Amino acid sequence: MSDNTKLLFGIFCLMLTLVFLYTLTALGFNGNDSAFIILVLAVISLVTGLIFGILGILSSRKK
């Protein structure tokens, strides 16, 4: 995966995190299972986005 692709994928995952969090607020976190699944997906997307974004920035600086 090239440097730009890592960075763009990281940005995409971070934007997907915002979509998940917006869905979570629209759903209302009142303890039901679907809200918990969306919360888990938001955390996974946030971590993936941060990892790929940081790796993309670091690998583009090495060149």
Side-chain angles (χ1 to χ4, degrees), residues 1-19:
M1 204 183 280
S2 71
D3 304 333
N4 290 336
T5 308
K6 285 180 187 176
L7 190 58
L8 287 175
F9 184 69
I11 292 171
F12 171 75
C13 285
L14 291 176
M15 289 173 33
L16 191 63
T17 302
L18 292 175
V19 171

Side-chain angles (χ1 to χ4, degrees), residues 33-53:
D33 292 338
S34 58
F36 181 70
I37 291 171
I38 292 174
L39 182 65
V40 169
L41 288 174
V43 169
I44 290 171
S45 178
L46 176 68
V47 170
T48 305
L50 287 175
I51 289 173
F52 273 96

